[in-house]
């Protein structure tokens, strides 16, 4: 009698299948799908819209997309693939192979050919295990024969042992890089395991070396899956690239904003800043340039009568034009700065935009100073 709990679990599974038939395409349920087909049931292929393809895929694929924690909010959807003919990987110990360094006599070659003929007869009779035994004896006798390994690989395919077939195909291609049979058997084995891109590559090479209808039929199944994987990869490579560009632009803006804040903080809005050295002046010039501010450099001296008249006016203008940088240099205290600007009389007002002098007022000309501040502060 069937256990009631098992019946309940089976009922829940059936209900889940009704709501989501694509579960049947999970490779782990191949045995169940084959059983349903043996009873005459039809397993529907799951059709989906482009939106479904991009946003969700409920069939477990043999291709597992990579997820990068650094991709912000990019979450890859699975790739909808036709995994209907996949087989469980064979994890048996590697099959015997011959010693490639051993000397092969004519007698060994003849005996190996005899074993191969016996293997072909066994294949014709459907005795695949017997065929593998004969071919194993053959590769021991003639361990550098690519065709023997490639032939044994084709028999491993018939008994659903793709990993064993791949191992033999690799050896065959090692001894004969142009072995069409080696590429074909390896491509078909990789298709059994869902290694669609590698399978397509091998089958294309086999097709160029020695095309047959079986290769063409297999390519019709393999290529659509390989193409979907490639399209999926390119899509997310493009999205990641766009994300990287957005991240780089965001970081650039943040850095620029931080520099502007730093520059603005050093410009003391509404105040007159005293300059005592060339290096200090250069720092303020760079800060004003980064902040796209007009900078006025006022050269003065304590003994200058007109300067005593202009200094209060200059301070008052600084409070009125807070987006303009007002600097002051005492030519006796910072004579190196005055010398570098070729100052011959005071007061002198130099107007600097983007690090370059754009205008100048010499003398205690209040009207000209105000007019040029208004002119140049509004020029940008």
């Amino acid at each position: 009698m069937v256990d009631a709990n098992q019946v309940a679990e089976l009922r829940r599974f059936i209900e889940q299948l009704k709501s989501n038939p694509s579960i049947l395409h999970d490779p782990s349920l191949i045995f169940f799908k084959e059983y349903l087909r043996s009873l005459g049931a039809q397993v529907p292929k799951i059709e989906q819209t482009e939106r479904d393809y991009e946003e969700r895929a409920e069939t477990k694929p043999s291709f597992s997309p990579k997820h990068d924690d650094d991709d912000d909010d990019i979450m890859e959807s699975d790739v909808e693939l036709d995994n209907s003919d996949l087989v469980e990987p064979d994890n048996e110990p590697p099959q015997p192979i011959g010693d490639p360094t051993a000397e092969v006599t004519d007698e060994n070659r003849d005996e190996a050919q005899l074993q191969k003929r016996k293997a072909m007869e066994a294949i014709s009779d459907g005795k695949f295990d017997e065929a593998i035994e004969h071919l194993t004896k053959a590769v021991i006798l003639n361990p550098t024969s690519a065709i023997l390994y490639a032939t044994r690989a084709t028999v491993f395919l018939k008994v659903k042992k793709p990993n064993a077939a791949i191992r033999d195909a690799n050896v065959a291609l090692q001894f004969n890089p142009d072995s069409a049979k080696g590429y074909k058997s390896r491509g078909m084995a990789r298709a059994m395991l869902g290694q669609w891109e590698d399978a397509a590559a091998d089958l294309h090479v086999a097709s160029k070396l020695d095309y047959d209808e079986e290769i063409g039929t297999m390519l019709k199944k393999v290529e659509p899956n390989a193409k979907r994987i490639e399209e999926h990869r390119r899509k997310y490579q493009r999205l990641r690239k766009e994300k990287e560009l957005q991240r780089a632009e965001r970081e650039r803006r943040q850095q620029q904003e931080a520099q502007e804040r730093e520059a603005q903080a050093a410009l003391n809005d509404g105040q007159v800043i005293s300059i005592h050295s060339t290096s200090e002046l250069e720092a303020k010039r760079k800060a004003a340039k980064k902040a796209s501010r007009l900078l006025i450099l006022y050269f003065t001296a304590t003994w200058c009568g007109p300067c005593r008249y202009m200094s209060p006016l200059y301070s008052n203008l600084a409070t009125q034009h807070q987006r303009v940088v007002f600097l002051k240099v005492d030519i006796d205290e910072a004579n190196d700065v005055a010398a570098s600007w070729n100052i011959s009389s005071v007061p002198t007002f130099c107007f600097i935009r983007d690090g370059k002098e754009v205008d100048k007022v010499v003398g205690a000309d209040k009207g000209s100073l105000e007019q040029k501040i208004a002119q140049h502060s509004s020029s940008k």
Side-chain angles (χ1 to χ4, degrees):
M1 184 172 179
V2 180
D3 183 89
N5 290 331
Q6 292 179 338
V7 173
E9 289 180 5
L10 180 58
R11 182 178 291 110
R12 285 194 295 271
F13 178 64
I14 296 299
E15 291 300 322
Q16 190 176 5
L17 283 178
K18 289 180 180 179
S19 62
N20 184 12
S22 65
I23 293 175
L24 281 175
H25 292 278
D26 191 306
S28 64
L29 295 177
I30 288 176
F31 72 95
F32 183 56
K33 184 164 56 175
E34 291 178 349
Y35 170 69
L36 292 177
R37 286 172 173 163
S38 70
L39 297 178
Q42 292 185 349
V43 178
K45 290 186 177 180
I46 304 301
E47 297 183 357
Q48 61 181 32
T49 64
E50 182 179 354
R51 179 179 178 184
D52 291 332
Y53 173 72
E54 293 186 352
E55 297 184 356
R56 66 171 185 84
E58 296 170 339
T59 302
K60 179 181 177 182
S62 62
F63 169 75
S64 299
K66 295 182 179 180
H67 296 271
D68 191 340
D69 293 337
D70 294 329
D71 286 339
D72 292 342
D73 57 348
I74 293 180
M75 295 297 294
E76 291 192 25
S77 62
D78 291 335
V79 187
E80 182 70 20
L81 304 173
D82 179 5
N83 294 323
S84 57
D85 295 325
L86 296 186
V87 301
E88 291 293 330
D90 50 308
N91 297 315
E92 301 173 3
Q95 62 271 28
I97 61 173
D99 179 4
T101 63
E103 181 180 357
V104 181
T105 65
D106 291 339
E107 290 79 7
N108 286 348
R109 289 191 181 88
D110 292 341
E111 181 61 23
Q113 284 301 110
L114 176 61
Q115 293 297 327
K116 180 184 177 184
R117 285 196 295 271
K118 291 181 179 180
M120 301 309 291
E121 292 174 1
I123 293 172
S124 299
D125 295 335
K127 299 176 181 179
F128 302 126
D129 290 337
E130 182 180 329
I132 290 173
E133 291 178 6
H134 286 302
L135 288 168
T136 299
K137 292 178 182 178
V139 299
I140 297 297
L141 290 165
N142 189 1
T144 60
S145 172
I147 190 63
L148 292 177
Y149 287 104
T151 302
R152 188 171 66 169
T154 63
V155 184
F156 278 126
L157 291 176
K158 294 181 181 297
V159 295
K160 308 297 184 185
K161 293 184 177 181
N163 281 328
I166 290 172
R167 286 192 290 268
D168 269 356
N170 286 339
V171 178
L173 292 168
Q174 178 182 346
F175 292 123
N176 179 13
D178 294 324
S179 172
K181 200 168 188 176
Y183 281 110
K184 175 183 175 181
S185 56
R186 190 171 70 179
M188 295 178 69
R190 285 172 165 173
M192 286 183 175
L193 295 171
Q195 300 171 6
W196 303 113
E197 292 178 292
D198 291 336
D202 280 343
L203 291 170
H204 276 295
V205 175
S207 176
K208 292 178 180 178
L209 292 171
D210 187 16
Y211 178 82
D212 62 36
E213 290 186 4
E214 190 176 20
I215 294 175
T217 300
M218 183 58 66
L219 277 172
K220 289 179 181 179
K221 175 179 176 59
V222 169
E223 282 187 317
N225 282 345
K227 184 177 181 181
R228 291 189 188 105
I229 293 172
E230 178 62 21
E231 289 174 347
H232 178 92
R233 180 182 296 110
R234 288 180 179 176
K235 170 187 173 182
Y236 284 96
Q237 284 176 345
R238 185 183 71 253
L239 290 176
R240 288 192 183 95
K241 183 64 176 178
E242 292 174 356
K243 210 66 170 178
E244 289 174 4
L245 293 175
Q246 292 172 2
R247 185 185 301 116
E249 176 61 20
R250 184 169 62 249
E251 291 175 353
R252 187 195 65 79
R253 288 199 306 267
Q254 291 173 347
Q255 184 178 13
Q256 181 180 4
E257 291 170 359
Q259 290 175 345
E260 290 177 356
R261 286 194 299 270
E262 181 181 355
Q264 291 174 7
L267 296 178
N268 297 356
D269 292 353
Q271 301 179 31
V272 176
I273 305 171
S274 295
I275 298 299
H276 305 92
S277 66
T278 303
S279 60
E280 190 176 358
L281 172 58
E282 188 61 25
K284 298 301 181 184
R285 286 180 64 186
K286 288 181 178 179
K289 183 177 180 180
K290 285 182 180 179
S292 299
R293 301 264 195 108
L294 172 67
L295 182 148
I296 304 174
L297 188 55
Y298 167 37
F299 290 94
T300 183
T302 56
W303 46 262
C304 171
C307 296
R308 287 194 290 272
Y309 165 72
M310 292 297 294
S311 290
L313 172 64
Y314 191 67
S315 297
N316 186 48
L317 289 171
T319 62
Q320 295 177 25
H321 300 275
Q322 298 203 5
R323 295 293 297 173
V324 177
V325 181
F326 288 79
L327 305 184
K328 182 174 68 173
V329 179
D330 187 316
I331 62 172
D332 294 322
E333 181 183 347
N335 52 23
D336 57 333
V337 177
S340 66
W341 283 78
N342 298 318
I343 300 301
S344 58
S345 65
V346 289
T348 295
F349 302 87
C350 297
F351 292 76
I352 303 167
R353 171 72 78 177
D354 294 329
K356 299 178 180 180
E357 183 177 351
V358 294
D359 212 336
K360 179 185 290 187
V361 173
V362 179
D365 190 340
K366 174 185 174 184
S368 293
L369 179 61
E370 292 176 333
Q371 183 265 326
K372 290 187 180 297
I373 291 176
Q375 174 189 344
H376 293 295
S377 63
S378 62
S379 63
K380 267 199 175 183

